[in-house]
Amino acid sequence: MHLTLNRPEVLNALTPGQRDLLIGLLGRASADPEVRAVVLTGTGRGFCAGADLRGGAADGERVAGDVARTIRLGAQRLIAAVLDCEKPVIAAVNGTAAGLGAHLALACDLVLAAESARFIEVFVRRGLVPDGGGAYLLTRLLGPQRAKELMFFGDALTAPDAERLGLVNRVVADGELDKTAREWAARLATGPTRALALTKQLVNASLDSDRATAFAAEATAQEINMTTADAREGVASFVARRSPEYRGR
């Protein structure tokens, strides 16, 4: 499944409707056995500039609890949809990824970035607290000191610097981004889809688990995976000394 944010005139800032559509599409990808991988990218100069704030959300009187509810049901739900998607999700970051847009990219399983891409923790520039799981994601990816540096200053991080810090898997020339993303997605699409889903769950939960819990989850994942046709195919192909043909089941 190839998902392209297509509002280049606003650097692909997300309206609530687009955010909800994206959440729905990620849920559909999880449930559809024909979908084996997801690529998320943008058009124009931006990957995603975050939430579209031009609708007047900051105007008028607020009722206590409104902001927390909006974040919980909006930005956090979007990031959770990426983290919980049962298919591998590749971010192909074609340009600026700012605020929620940066977190949307970093929540993906693999991150490819064009040389011109930039990542910006823009919240501090607006007097805001990071949302969309930013503190959760960056601390786990970078450690607390680096995460604070990015979020306290809000400086733009170039793609090569993001790769050096470990936020990006690979930086490619702008003209090679789409090709590389499709190549990676094709490789994932021929893999054992359920094993990849279980592996994703184990990795995502690992930093929040003690050893006993992590080991128990690993054993359970192995038990579940060994019931799949792809696991049987993997063993059979190894014994027969041939390449496996995985079908995602």
Side-chain angles (χ1 to χ4, degrees), residues 77-100:
R77 194 162 63 99
L78 173 61
I79 299 305
V82 178
L83 293 171
D84 295 339
C85 182
E86 295 179 30
K87 308 298 167 61
V89 184
I90 300 170
V93 184
N94 56 295
T96 298
L100 178 60

Side-chain angles (χ1 to χ4, degrees), residues 6 55 80 86 101 105 139 151 155 161 167:
N6 192 23
E86 295 179 30
T139 301
M151 290 188 281
D155 294 333
D161 283 342
L167 292 176

Side-chain angles (χ1 to χ4, degrees), residues 1-38:
M1 179 181 285
H2 204 97
L3 304 177
T4 303
L5 306 178
N6 192 23
R7 297 179 72 214
E9 69 279 5
V10 290
L11 298 181
N12 300 313
L14 289 170
T15 66
Q18 290 170 323
R19 177 201 65 215
D20 291 345
L21 176 60
L22 192 54
I23 291 170
L25 290 170
L26 289 165
R28 187 186 307 171
S30 284
D32 188 347
E34 299 305 314
V35 175
R36 307 283 294 278
V38 178

Side-chain angles (χ1 to χ4, degrees), residues 40-237:
L40 177 61
T41 193
T43 54
R45 297 182 299 109
F47 172 75
C48 178
D52 191 337
L53 301 178
R54 298 177 305 164
D59 299 335
E61 184 178 352
R62 291 195 181 97
V63 176
D66 279 356
V67 174
R69 187 180 308 105
T70 298
I71 295 299
R72 191 169 58 249
L73 298 179
Q76 291 179 353
R77 194 162 63 99
L78 173 61
I79 299 305
V82 178
L83 293 171
D84 295 339
C85 182
E86 295 179 30
K87 308 298 167 61
V89 184
I90 300 170
V93 184
N94 56 295
T96 298
L100 178 60
H103 302 162
L104 178 61
L106 298 178
C108 293
D109 302 303
L110 299 170
V111 184
L112 292 168
E115 288 178 342
S116 63
R118 300 186 306 160
F119 299 81
I120 311 173
E121 287 297 313
V122 74
F123 300 94
V124 69
R125 300 185 185 181
R126 311 288 183 259
L128 302 174
V129 173
D131 63 24
Y136 177 89
L137 292 167
L138 281 170
T139 301
R140 282 157 177 75
L141 291 167
L142 296 175
Q145 300 305 116
R146 287 290 192 181
K148 289 173 188 174
E149 180 182 345
L150 292 180
M151 290 188 281
F152 283 6
F153 291 119
D155 294 333
L157 190 66
T158 66
D161 283 342
E163 183 182 32
R164 177 177 55 82
L165 291 173
L167 292 176
V168 168
N169 292 90
R170 188 175 301 175
V171 175
V172 299
D174 288 19
E176 294 293 314
L177 181 66
D178 182 67
K179 175 186 175 184
T180 305
R182 290 181 183 277
E183 288 173 349
W184 282 29
R187 289 184 63 185
L188 291 168
T190 61
T193 306
R194 296 311 305 163
L196 292 176
L198 291 164
T199 301
K200 174 174 178 172
Q201 291 174 14
L202 289 174
V203 173
N204 285 353
S206 64
L207 292 176
D208 300 318
S209 303
D210 57 46
R211 186 181 68 181
T213 302
F215 277 23
E218 178 186 276
T220 299
Q222 290 283 13
E223 180 74 26
I224 293 170
N225 189 64
M226 289 308 294
T227 67
T228 66
D230 279 350
R232 293 191 293 273
E233 166 64 10
V235 173
S237 64

